[in-house]
Amino acid sequence: LHRFIDLDMEKDARPKWDSPVQFVLACVSYAVGLGNVWRFPYLCQMHGGGGFLIPYLLMLFLEGVPLFYLELAIGQKMRLGSIGAWTAISPYLGGMGLASVVTSLYLCLYYNIINAWSFWYLFHSFQSVLPWAECPINANRTGPIKECEQATPTQYFFYRETLDISSSIEENGGIHTGQALCLILAWIITYLFIVRGVKSTGKVVYFTATFPYVVLFVYLIRGITLHGAINGVKYMFTPKMEQLANPTTWINAATQIFFSLGLGFGSLIAFSSYNQYNNNFERQAIVVSLINSGTSIFASIVTFAIYGFKATVNYENCLERTRLLLLNAFNLAEDSITVDTVYDWIEKLNATYPEQFAELNTRLENCDLESELDTAVEGTGLAFIVYSEAIKNMPLSQLWSVLYFIMLLLLGMGSMLGNVTAIITPLRDFKVISRMSSELFNGLVCLFCLLLGLGFTTTSGSYWFTMFNDYGATFSLLFIVLIEVITVSYIYGIKRFEKDIEDMLGHRPNWYWKIMWTFTSPLLLIALFIFYIINYIKGGTPTYQAWNKELGKSVVTEYPVFGQVFIGLLLASSVSCVPLTALCFHCNRKSSPVI
């Protein structure tokens, strides 16, 4: 690689951010993404509410901030993308940059389909009745469609109307035209955002980094004023400290910090390579990391307020159904039982008419607010099903729907800027590509990703999306960042790295950074890496959630053989870049004549 990359490119010739503010906003826009809204609240719910914040914040300072700082320092010092930066450190390490580019490519392929779904929901929000608010009528016009009755209107709209999902990954139909058009629109907007590289991105981030906060704040005001919202917020901040004894809680906290900050993709190296040489990236690393984690907690309060509202509505609907059942079964006066006295009447009627009550037992539902709040949902299920269900019950539901999906779009598009930059910047360091205009090359990259991404708009596309999401990045990123921190600390040398930082900032990093880079962060990453491999082996045959039309719900299904082979290719393709590039360089070096 070192032969084809212009490692000595004139530093002044490289484009630069107009100001440090642009760089910080670009990092915030990239790091603050959909994971803050749909993954962090789920982890809070799974691991003891407020108690999860203890391991989360500990991992932020033991792993997140030091590794974020390290990547910014490398990019700013080398003034190159990930491939060029690692090749400059050692030609044997060029494969690390290549692995980052391959991982970012996988991410780009499937990440924009989420933006396509957001466009789809946004366009369907401009209706007098939201299309996921009620079930459509069947062909005979005798009642609702059976699949929708078996599921819920929000599930039906997502799985049938949005995805037109097949019953398994093995069943493939044609491309969903609506989804394909939404995906094309998402890629056109992505291209316009990055058309002139850092000059375009620098302007766009003022909007993509700030507007989601406006929407989140508006949603916070609306959320905490909803009926039952306080139940959700209380649930979030009530710590279940016994969860701290669960090792999975700590593993998930470390993993969430790691992925939420976008480490290992090469985006941070690319962004910081456009900085002024003496830019204070140390302060910026701390600020962006804290903003990112603060946003996760802020978004969780909003999410739990809406959870509380949804859970309370479901709980009260359950009580109302029980009330009507008791009234009809025992011929009681309409106003004799209220929602608040349902359980008192159940005890009274059970004691008075035990035989008659025993017949009702199979029809009585167990209404429990706590179990409603315990139902943990993440990812697309939270973003497109749970939120949609809550929105349909709000007054002025169309307005809240439009605002919500605009926010999802901006979060998704902001992250896409970093994802595409992680591909474009290192490739533009190659002498051949650097001669092409930014507009043409960036357009070709976007077109390539769009054409491959159309596969996700087929009827089985959602299952391939899940596969890429589960296996496309996790393993390779852990591997990349582990090699990064070992390389800087022990191959490049911590003393040399300290001197580079002093050259840029005017002072050396303090003891905290050095301990993290040389000892704590590598140990944590090794533990995560081992845990991931053990979990993968113990998990047996990989599975996915297949939609069962008859049951109206998802069922756990094993991947077929071709799916398992593809998962193996996903895991190996990016990681293998590191040893293969080192091997190629070694062979070329041995075969080259010594002059």
Side-chain angles (χ1 to χ4, degrees):
L1 292 172
H2 67 296
R3 294 182 179 181
F4 306 106
I5 298 174
D6 192 356
L7 297 175
D8 301 313
M9 186 176 70
E10 191 62 41
K11 286 183 179 178
D12 294 333
R14 192 171 186 82
K16 293 185 181 70
W17 300 104
D18 290 345
S19 69
V21 173
Q22 275 190 3
F23 168 66
V24 169
L25 289 176
C27 289
V28 167
S29 185
Y30 165 65
V32 175
L34 297 166
N36 299 71
V37 173
W38 72 24
R39 175 83 179 147
F40 182 79
Y42 163 76
L43 291 174
C44 268
Q45 204 172 4
M46 283 283 289
H47 297 299
F52 181 69
L53 295 177
I54 296 167
Y56 177 76
L57 293 173
L58 258 175
M59 290 301 171
L60 173 67
F61 290 103
L62 294 178
E63 169 201 55
V65 184
L67 296 174
F68 199 86
Y69 181 131
L70 182 135
E71 289 206 356
L72 295 190
I74 290 161
Q76 189 164 309
K77 171 65 184 173
M78 300 302 175
R79 311 297 295 281
L80 291 161
S82 54
I83 298 174
W86 294 113
T87 305
I89 288 172
S90 168
Y92 283 101
L93 296 170
M96 279 167 58
L98 210 53
S100 291
V101 170
V102 171
T103 308
S104 294
L105 175 65
Y106 292 158
L107 184 67
C108 279
L109 292 182
Y110 78 84
Y111 202 91
N112 233 2
I113 195 70
I114 305 169
N115 294 327
W117 296 339
S118 296
F119 271 123
W120 176 263
Y121 271 78
L122 177 64
F123 297 148
H124 279 83
S125 299
F126 296 97
Q127 296 183 30
S128 55
V129 177
L130 291 174
W132 55 85
E134 50 195 44
C135 285
I137 305 297
N138 62 25
N140 300 330
R141 308 195 70 76
T142 54
I145 289 172
K146 191 188 172 194
E147 184 184 359
C148 186
E149 266 192 312
Q150 291 288 93
T152 64
T154 44
Q155 284 177 318
Y156 178 83
F157 184 81
F158 182 65
Y159 288 110
R160 186 55 52 218
E161 302 282 348
T162 306
L163 305 179
D164 193 20
I165 199 165
S166 61
S167 59
S168 78
I169 197 169
E170 293 168 275
E171 273 182 48
N172 195 19
I175 284 175
H176 186 313
T177 312
Q179 282 306 311
L181 291 172
C182 287
L183 183 63
I184 291 166
L185 177 61
W187 272 111
I188 288 170
I189 292 173
T190 303
Y191 173 66
L192 294 174
F193 280 2
I194 52 112
V195 62
R196 290 176 57 237
V198 72
K199 294 295 175 192
S200 303
T201 308
K203 304 290 186 291
V204 170
V205 291
Y206 284 106
F207 186 61
T208 59
T210 55
F211 191 72
Y213 289 100
V214 176
V215 179
L216 270 176
F217 186 71
V218 171
Y219 249 97
L220 177 68
I221 307 273
R222 182 68 193 107
I224 56 176
T225 57
L226 288 168
H227 173 57
I230 193 68
N231 294 326
V233 176
K234 264 191 213 164
Y235 182 91
M236 178 189 166
F237 283 106
T238 305
K240 295 173 184 169
M241 302 308 278
E242 66 274 11
Q243 279 290 332
L244 295 180
N246 180 359
T248 312
T249 303
W250 293 84
I251 296 289
N252 280 340
T255 311
Q256 176 62 14
I257 284 289
F258 184 86
F259 294 118
S260 180
L261 287 170
L263 302 165
F265 286 106
S267 303
L268 300 172
I269 292 175
F271 280 156
S272 60
S273 73
Y274 299 117
N275 277 335
Q276 298 286 350
Y277 187 71
N278 299 113
N279 172 62
N280 188 350
F281 58 86
E282 182 176 271
R283 187 171 58 213
Q284 291 163 342
I286 297 165
V287 167
V288 174
S289 301
L290 291 176
I291 288 173
N292 180 59
S293 295
T295 305
S296 291
I297 296 164
F298 180 42
S300 284
I301 296 169
V302 177
T303 301
F304 274 93
I306 288 166
Y307 261 151
F309 165 64
K310 178 182 167 290
T312 305
V313 167
N314 288 351
Y315 171 64
E316 289 178 354
N317 286 345
C318 178
L319 290 176
E320 180 60 22
R321 287 192 298 274
T322 306
R323 186 183 84 88
L324 292 173
L325 182 66
L326 295 175
L327 289 175
N328 294 331
F330 295 96
N331 292 321
L332 299 167
E334 177 68 30
D335 57 352
S336 59
I337 304 178
T338 65
V339 167
D340 297 327
T341 60
V342 164
Y343 281 111
D344 295 336
W345 274 92
I346 285 174
E347 281 181 31
K348 192 188 294 183
L349 292 168
N350 192 16
T352 314
Y353 310 102
E355 288 176 18
Q356 200 177 340
F357 197 86
E359 292 172 23
L360 271 185
N361 254 343
T362 52
R363 292 161 62 197
L364 273 176
E365 295 176 67
N366 181 26
C367 304
D368 183 21
L369 181 62
E370 192 70 18
S371 66
E372 283 285 348
L373 286 165
D374 277 338
T375 310
V377 184
E378 66 168 324
T380 50
L382 173 58
F384 295 101
I385 296 173
V386 174
Y387 258 94
S388 299
E389 200 167 310
I391 286 167
K392 76 175 187 184
N393 292 317
M394 293 181 189
L396 292 173
S397 54
Q398 291 82 355
L399 170 67
W400 298 109
S401 182
V402 168
L403 267 179
Y404 172 67
F405 289 109
I406 286 175
M407 179 189 75
L408 272 197
L409 271 169
L410 288 172
L411 288 172
M413 285 295 177
S415 295
M416 275 305 293
L417 295 181
N419 300 339
V420 180
T421 304
I423 300 171
I424 288 166
T425 301
L427 294 182
R428 283 200 68 79
D429 291 334
F430 283 86
K431 294 169 189 173
V432 178
I433 295 170
S434 65
R435 297 188 190 109
M436 291 171 69
S437 71
S438 290
E439 291 83 353
L440 175 62
F441 178 65
N442 296 356
L444 288 172
V445 169
C446 290
L447 181 63
F448 176 74
C449 291
L450 165 64
L451 293 174
L452 288 179
L454 284 171
F456 295 113
T457 66
T458 61
T459 54
S460 63
S462 172
Y463 302 131
W464 288 98
F465 166 87
T466 303
M467 189 191 290
F468 270 77
N469 191 32
D470 290 346
Y471 301 103
T474 316
F475 180 73
S476 52
L477 289 179
L478 285 170
F479 179 77
I480 291 163
V481 179
L482 176 58
I483 302 293
E484 271 184 14
V485 73
I486 289 171
T487 298
V488 169
S489 298
Y490 300 104
I491 298 173
Y492 187 73
I494 199 72
K495 295 284 182 195
R496 194 173 161 197
F497 189 52
E498 277 183 68
K499 196 171 181 311
D500 289 341
I501 290 169
E502 186 179 23
D503 191 33
M504 290 185 280
L505 299 183
H507 65 84
R508 292 194 171 219
N510 61 33
W511 59 268
Y512 160 73
W513 301 111
K514 288 183 275 189
I515 291 171
M516 294 302 118
W517 292 328
T518 55
F519 179 68
T520 312
S521 294
L523 280 181
L524 269 172
L525 287 167
I526 289 166
L528 282 176
F529 195 67
I530 293 168
F531 181 82
Y532 183 87
I533 293 168
I534 291 169
N535 256 14
Y536 184 72
I537 294 165
K538 278 172 67 181
T541 307
T543 58
Y544 66 101
Q545 297 278 341
W547 180 252
N548 187 305
K549 189 177 176 179
E550 279 68 42
L551 298 175
K553 66 177 184 181
S554 297
V555 290
V556 177
T557 310
E558 287 189 352
Y559 279 109
V561 175
F562 73 83
Q564 293 173 45
V565 170
F566 194 83
I567 287 169
L569 286 172
L570 274 180
L571 292 170
S573 54
S574 50
V575 169
S576 61
C577 291
V578 179
L580 287 176
T581 306
L583 188 65
C584 284
F585 175 73
H586 183 70
C587 292
N588 283 339
R589 196 175 175 193
K590 285 187 84 172
S591 61
S592 298
V594 179
I595 298 170

